[in-house]
């Protein structure tokens, strides 16, 4: 599939800002699941942009505006081809116990994705779910699907019920949340069970953006600004993409932008400004499917 994606971020200041410093993770990578055909970033007021690749392999663009301005707008545009997901059957068709032995031999590169992190903390409910769902003799592939299905059935997708500061424990108790909560909960259960897992942020072709149901395709749920899902580490070094918000394997209707330990490593924009008052943030994504050549 081919998609054209516009990601618009607009900051409006209560009073003019004298300076702003910002970094953005809005540049999708080219990998086995997708190919980025073109990409641009427009910033108003205009300024010089530099970039670097962070510890988790994400492209980060940073810039500074050193003069007075009332608002700041970023428009990231890209065209991306997505490819059918490859299912590594051999890596999935082993027991959890066998997989754990291999993970232990790869502990250094997987360390960050096996530990609690800022937004992914272990708690009693997480540990109980891990003990119940992840059995040493269980098939790894079936276990990953079982954990995803449990998270999907545990939550009711409810925008506004949580925010970026809601903990996994609080979200599990509420049984409500959005894609970020689904992803953090699934990651917590997998890491508690010694299975490496990382957080993915990107885009999803939702029902609002295209009337999928009218063409016989399942309607997918996700945020209008961005979507979050999970990648579980496999013993062969691959990452297996799972979308617990929709209880499916993440595929051609998903576009990856950034990965990390949790939301805090993948926030689309982050920065500070010098000025009085507060700022109002508006973000929206327009993702449209287009015909391939």
């Amino acid at each position: 599939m081919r998609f054209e994606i516009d990601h618009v971020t607009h900051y409006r200041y209560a009073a003019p800002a004298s300076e702003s410093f910002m970094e953005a993770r809005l540049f999708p990578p080219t990998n086995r699941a997708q190919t980025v055909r073109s990409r641009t970033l427009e910033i108003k007021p205009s300024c010089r942009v530099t970039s670097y690749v962070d510890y988790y392999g994400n492209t980060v663009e940073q810039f500074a505006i050193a003069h007075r301005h009332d608002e700041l707008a970023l428009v990231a545009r890209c065209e991306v081809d997505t490819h059918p997901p490859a299912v590594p059957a051999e890596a999935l068709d082993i027991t959890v116990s066998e997989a754990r032995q291999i993970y232990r031999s790869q502990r250094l590169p997987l360390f960050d994705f096996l530990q609690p992190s800022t937004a992914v903390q272990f708690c009693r409910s997480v540990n109980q779910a891990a003990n119940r769902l992840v059995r040493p003799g269980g098939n790894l592939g079936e276990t990953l699907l079982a954990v995803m299905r449990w998270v999907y059935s545990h939550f009711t997708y409810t925008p506004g019920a949580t925010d970026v500061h809601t903990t996994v424990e609080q979200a599990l108790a509420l049984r409500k949340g959005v894609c970020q909560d689904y992803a953090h909960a699934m990651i917590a259960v997998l890491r508690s069970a010694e299975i490496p897992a990382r957080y993915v942020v990107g885009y999803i072709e939702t029902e609002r953006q295209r009337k999928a149901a009218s063409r016989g395709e399942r309607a997918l749920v996700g945020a209008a600004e961005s979507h979050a899902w999970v990648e579980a580490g496999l013993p062969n070094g691959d990452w297996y993409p799972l979308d617990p918000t929709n209880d499916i394997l993440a595929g051609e209707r998903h576009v990856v932008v950034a990965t990390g330990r949790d939301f805090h490593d993948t926030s689309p924009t982050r920065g500070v400004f010098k000025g009085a008052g507060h700022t109002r943030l508006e973000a929206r994504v327009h993702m449209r499917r287009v015909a391939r050549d």
Side-chain angles (χ1 to χ4, degrees), residues 107-293:
R107 193 161 186 82
L108 185 59
L110 294 176
F111 182 82
D112 281 351
F113 306 113
L114 286 163
Q115 305 298 313
S117 58
T118 302
V120 178
Q121 296 290 325
F122 301 159
C123 60
R124 183 178 180 182
S125 54
V126 164
N127 295 334
Q128 288 176 338
N131 291 334
R132 183 171 66 256
L133 298 167
V134 185
R135 301 289 186 178
N139 176 274
L140 177 63
E142 294 174 359
T143 298
L144 293 174
L145 294 178
V147 174
M148 178 174 68
R149 194 167 300 115
W150 177 82
V151 173
Y152 173 76
S153 62
H154 186 89
F155 285 98
T156 298
Y157 189 84
T158 312
T162 58
D163 58 33
V164 295
H165 304 294
T166 302
T167 66
V168 171
E169 185 174 19
Q170 290 170 335
L172 287 172
L174 283 172
R175 299 181 70 93
K176 298 178 182 180
V178 292
C179 53
Q180 175 180 289
D181 304 296
Y182 285 72
H184 283 158
M186 183 171 177
I187 291 170
V189 173
L190 292 178
R191 290 182 187 172
S192 175
E194 299 182 70
I195 298 175
R198 66 185 183 183
Y199 186 92
V200 186
V201 68
Y203 308 121
I204 186 173
E205 184 188 43
T206 64
E207 174 69 4
R208 179 176 295 180
Q209 294 162 331
R210 198 183 73 87
K211 295 182 178 178
S214 65
R215 301 191 182 185
E217 295 182 5
R218 178 181 169 190
L220 301 183
V221 175
E225 298 86 6
S226 59
H227 187 56
W229 60 97
V230 176
E231 288 182 343
L234 298 182
N236 68 345
D238 285 343
W239 290 92
Y240 194 44
L242 300 159
D243 182 351
T245 307
N246 293 289
D247 192 26
I248 59 169
L249 180 67
E252 288 184 273
R253 294 168 70 187
H254 295 72
V255 173
V256 175
V257 175
T259 59
R261 293 166 297 179
D262 56 37
F263 166 81
H264 297 285
D265 292 332
T266 61
S267 178
T269 58
R270 178 183 300 149
V272 296
F273 71 95
K274 184 184 293 185
H278 63 278
T279 181
R280 187 176 67 188
L281 169 63
E282 297 176 359
R284 65 183 185 275
V285 172
H286 186 201
M287 181 175 180
R288 55 195 172 274
R289 193 185 299 193
V290 298
R292 299 184 67 155
D293 298 336

Side-chain angles (χ1 to χ4, degrees), residues 38-141:
S38 63
R39 196 270 180 176
T40 61
L41 176 66
E42 299 174 8
I43 302 172
K44 294 181 181 180
S46 61
C47 58
R48 179 172 177 268
V49 179
T50 60
S51 66
Y52 68 93
V53 176
D54 71 12
Y55 180 76
Y56 299 106
N58 306 310
T59 296
V60 183
E61 293 164 302
Q62 55 186 8
F63 57 90
I65 300 172
H67 55 81
R68 291 175 66 85
H69 54 288
D70 297 312
E71 56 187 14
L72 171 61
L74 290 77
V75 181
R77 293 190 173 95
C78 62
E79 184 177 75
V80 181
D81 286 345
T82 60
H83 315 302
V87 179
E90 293 182 358
L92 292 167
D93 193 22
I94 63 173
T95 66
V96 170
S97 179
E98 291 170 325
R100 284 170 172 166
Q101 292 179 27
I102 299 173
Y103 296 144
R104 288 164 187 156
S105 70
Q106 303 171 348
R107 193 161 186 82
L108 185 59
L110 294 176
F111 182 82
D112 281 351
F113 306 113
L114 286 163
Q115 305 298 313
S117 58
T118 302
V120 178
Q121 296 290 325
F122 301 159
C123 60
R124 183 178 180 182
S125 54
V126 164
N127 295 334
Q128 288 176 338
N131 291 334
R132 183 171 66 256
L133 298 167
V134 185
R135 301 289 186 178
N139 176 274
L140 177 63

